[in-house]
Amino acid sequence: MAAPSFDGREIALTHHSRDWLERNGVWDRIPAQCISPLKTAQIESGDEPSSNGSGALLFTAPPDSADALGFLVPNHLIRTALHEAVSEQSAITILAGQGVVASSGNRDKAVLLLDDGSLIEASLLIAADGRFSRIRQARGIGAIIHDFGKQIMVCRMRHPEPHQGVALQWFDKGQTIALLPVADDDQPGHLSSLVLTLDPANIAALKALDKAAFDRDVTRRTQSRLGPMSLESARCTYPLKTVFAHRFQTTRLALIGDAAVGMHPITAHGFNLGLKGQEILCEEIERGDADPGAPEVLRAFERRHRRATAPLFAATNGIASLYTHDAGPVLALRKAGLLLADRMTPLKTLVTGFLMDRKGAS
Ligand SMILES: Cc1cc2nc3c(=O)[nH]c(=O)nc-3n(C[C@H](O)[C@H](O)[C@H](O)COP(=O)(O)OP(=O)(O)OC[C@H]3O[C@@H](n4cnc5c(N)ncnc54)[C@H](O)[C@@H]3O)c2cc1C
């Protein structure tokens, strides 16, 4: 936990998340040279390149926003910084290297059984054990699970052309590619994070390629937009399943992070929503009557967090399904949709504001 290794994920943090991390002494622990400002989000559909922006839907940050839509930070560096900050809190005891085997809750307390047989009692158990949360399942909370039947491969690529801070989300025919602008290092060339979504057999075949063949394949897939691509990291894979828990709480238990809402990565909001969930929970605990696990506290948290996440979860799944459907008429509709959206200034302003999220927890 203190030194997690690179896991491929580059997290696009909103301004709100960055501010929260700053206020809580985490942001300054992330090496500044590893933070990459996200200046433009470019969305494309179909197999014709539109790197000049024509036919693409573009979002750019308004001039008063430090010139960034958000900030791209490697996930393992966020985890390292969070761990450091938490370790310095004298009121927190970290019990690492042990899983939670079982948990229960009654009117007065939550009880946890750990791997080593020890029991912990608390007024509230908060489960943040990921989108396949065992605690959620064991406590009988079901979930909407949308299996896209695909896998995501993430890795860093080096290339000669600068990315100019542009995050490209490209719904190509038969593949979905994101190229995210990573901060340069001291080596020649520039770095991007490749996020490639394909069916599991294709991902397995790509993972098995040697570096030279993989580089050629990625250069072809990205149509040499940034020049020849060269693999710079491990190739990490994730199943593409999204999850929305039927409930976010039960007796003396609250679900946060992916355990409550496991988003599709296209809108880059999973981690941001996870932070928001814990903020809402803290606010409701503070508002309550000194019992953090009281039913009314947990119900208020659940109400607010569902309201903040349900529309986004549904909209993201809908867009992801439409934009990975390659039948001829749908392809034309996808392209027309992007063109129309690009001309609708109020819509673009709304979405840009949402992507940046400079407001507080709602
Ligand atoms: C490719 C990719 C790109 C992404 N990009 C973005 C992005 O740009 N922006 C964004 O906001 N989000 C992004 N996300 C989503 C983001 O990574 C997740 O939302 C976030 O990491 C979830 O954090 P979490 O702590 O809830 O869950 P996890 O990171 O899954 O952590 C769960 C933890 O619980 C532990 N655990 C599990 N079971 C037990 C047990 N029984 N006992 C004890 N511990 C247990 C695990 O070991 C793990 O450490 C991306 C995700 C992917 C896959």
Side-chain angles (χ1 to χ4, degrees):
M1 284 175 75
S5 49
F6 175 79
D7 61 20
R9 286 180 278 183
E10 309 280 346
I11 303 292
L13 294 169
T14 60
H15 285 253
H16 181 74
S17 295
R18 196 274 307 266
D19 294 348
W20 186 91
L21 292 169
E22 204 160 36
R23 276 200 312 282
N24 287 280
V26 181
W27 185 251
D28 289 344
R29 298 171 192 267
I30 300 171
Q33 70 275 16
C34 300
I35 299 169
S36 179
L38 226 157
K39 298 193 168 159
T40 305
Q42 177 168 328
I43 304 172
E44 294 182 24
S45 176
D47 53 2
E48 293 149 30
S50 42
S51 46
N52 60 357
S54 73
L57 173 58
L58 294 173
F59 296 100
T60 41
D64 63 337
S65 54
D67 210 20
L69 282 174
F71 307 89
L72 214 64
V73 183
N75 191 46
H76 71 292
L77 297 185
I78 302 177
R79 291 182 58 187
T80 307
L82 278 166
H83 183 268
E84 260 178 45
V86 167
S87 309
E88 288 174 9
Q89 301 286 320
S90 56
I92 297 176
T93 305
I94 297 177
L95 298 174
Q98 297 205 47
V100 174
V101 176
S103 78
S104 62
N106 61 34
R107 212 169 60 94
D108 304 315
K109 59 178 189 260
V111 182
L112 279 185
L113 173 64
L114 300 185
D115 272 338
D116 67 356
S118 55
L119 285 176
I120 295 180
E121 292 186 354
S123 40
L124 174 63
L125 165 63
I126 302 170
D129 53 345
R131 64 183 66 197
F132 306 114
S133 168
R134 279 201 282 156
I135 296 176
R136 182 185 73 217
Q137 288 169 33
R139 294 293 294 278
I141 301 180
I144 300 165
I145 298 180
H146 189 112
D147 186 350
F148 286 80
K150 310 244 175 183
Q151 283 208 333
I152 307 172
M153 173 184 283
V154 268
C155 57
R156 281 189 168 199
M157 305 297 299
R158 191 176 294 280
H159 45 81
E161 302 299 330
H163 48 56
Q164 317 277 19
V166 176
L168 170 70
Q169 177 71 54
W170 179 17
F171 299 100
D172 191 7
K173 246 169 140 177
Q175 61 176 4
T176 305
I177 291 185
L179 280 174
L180 308 176
V182 170
D184 283 342
D185 57 10
D186 52 5
Q187 303 296 311
H190 305 279
L191 292 169
S192 287
S193 169
L194 171 76
V195 187
L196 184 58
T197 307
L198 290 170
D199 59 67
N202 271 320
I203 290 286
L206 269 179
K207 219 175 165 180
L209 290 180
D210 63 30
K211 180 179 165 359
F214 184 77
D215 289 351
R216 276 196 303 277
D217 191 88
V218 173
T219 305
R220 177 186 62 78
R221 285 178 184 277
T222 54
Q223 299 184 340
S224 304
R225 287 161 178 249
L226 298 171
M229 305 295 264
S230 171
L231 181 65
E232 281 287 315
S233 73
R235 289 166 268 190
C236 309
T237 53
Y238 296 88
L240 188 48
K241 286 186 188 172
T242 62
V243 176
F244 196 85
H246 290 159
R247 302 181 61 188
F248 289 179
Q249 54 90 26
T250 186
T251 315
R252 302 254 161 215
L253 170 69
L255 305 179
I256 61 166
D258 278 19
V261 186
M263 292 285 293
H264 192 296
I266 50 161
T267 42
H269 259 65
F271 181 83
N272 293 300
L273 290 181
L275 277 190
K276 218 164 221 187
Q278 58 82 32
E279 268 185 284
I280 292 174
L281 181 57
C282 286
E283 283 171 13
E284 292 306 328
I285 289 171
E286 271 172 21
R287 215 173 271 168
D289 247 353
D291 177 359
E296 51 281 9
V297 167
L298 300 185
R299 281 199 295 266
F301 151 71
E302 178 176 53
R303 243 187 339 266
R304 283 181 62 197
H305 197 35
R306 287 182 91 77
R307 220 173 36 219
T309 53
L312 179 62
F313 180 80
T316 307
N317 278 358
I319 291 169
S321 300
L322 175 68
Y323 275 82
T324 48
H325 200 73
D326 286 340
V330 182
L331 262 179
L333 188 72
R334 282 164 38 176
K335 250 197 148 78
L338 290 188
L339 273 171
L340 185 68
D342 198 52
R343 290 186 188 145
M344 291 170 68
T345 310
L347 174 76
K348 284 178 70 171
T349 309
L350 190 79
V351 175
T352 303
F354 171 75
L355 287 174
M356 297 172 72
D357 188 12
R358 285 187 289 177
K359 290 196 302 298
S362 52

